[in-house]
Amino acid sequence: MSNTTRVTISNGARGLLEVMAEEAGVTPRQYLEALLHYAGSIYNRPGSWEANTPFSIETYEPRDGSYADRWFE
C-alpha cells in the first residue's frame, strides 16, 4: 500500500508552490507538507505558539532540528 496520494491544484498554485519551495531550498512536496503541519497546528491547537507565529519552513524541516508539531507521517 502506498503512503502517498495525489492532490489536484491549479497551475497557478503549482507555480507559486514551486517558487516558494525553491526559495526555501526544499521540494514542493516538503514545502506543502510543512504548510499542512502548520495548518494542523492552527486547527488543532489554536492558542499554541505555532498558531500565533508566521509560517517558517525551518520550523518543520528535520535538517534544521525542527521542533514543531507533526500531524501526520
Side-chain angles (χ1 to χ4, degrees), residues 26 30 34 37 57-67 70:
V26 297
Q30 289 170 307
H37 285 298
I57 191 70
E58 289 80 19
T59 307
Y60 297 91
E61 272 306 296
R63 70 169 193 252
D64 295 321
S66 68
Y67 47 88
R70 297 279 184 173

Side-chain angles (χ1 to χ4, degrees), residues 33-34 37 41 50 59-62 66 68-73:
E33 288 185 357
H37 285 298
S41 292
E50 287 173 271
T59 307
Y60 297 91
E61 272 306 296
S66 68
D69 287 328
R70 297 279 184 173
W71 298 100
F72 54 89
E73 290 293 320

Side-chain angles (χ1 to χ4, degrees), residues 6-34:
R6 297 209 181 267
V7 175
T8 302
I9 60 176
S10 70
N11 284 331
R14 187 207 64 195
L16 179 58
L17 176 60
E18 289 173 349
V19 168
M20 292 185 302
E22 183 177 331
E23 288 179 6
V26 297
T27 67
R29 176 182 172 167
Q30 289 170 307
Y31 199 90
L32 181 58
E33 288 185 357

Side-chain angles (χ1 to χ4, degrees), residues 36-66:
L36 289 170
H37 285 298
Y38 179 65
S41 292
I42 292 170
Y43 178 78
N44 291 308
R45 297 187 325 114
S48 70
W49 67 269
E50 287 173 271
N52 293 306
T53 304
F55 175 77
S56 173
I57 191 70
E58 289 80 19
T59 307
Y60 297 91
E61 272 306 296
R63 70 169 193 252
D64 295 321
S66 68

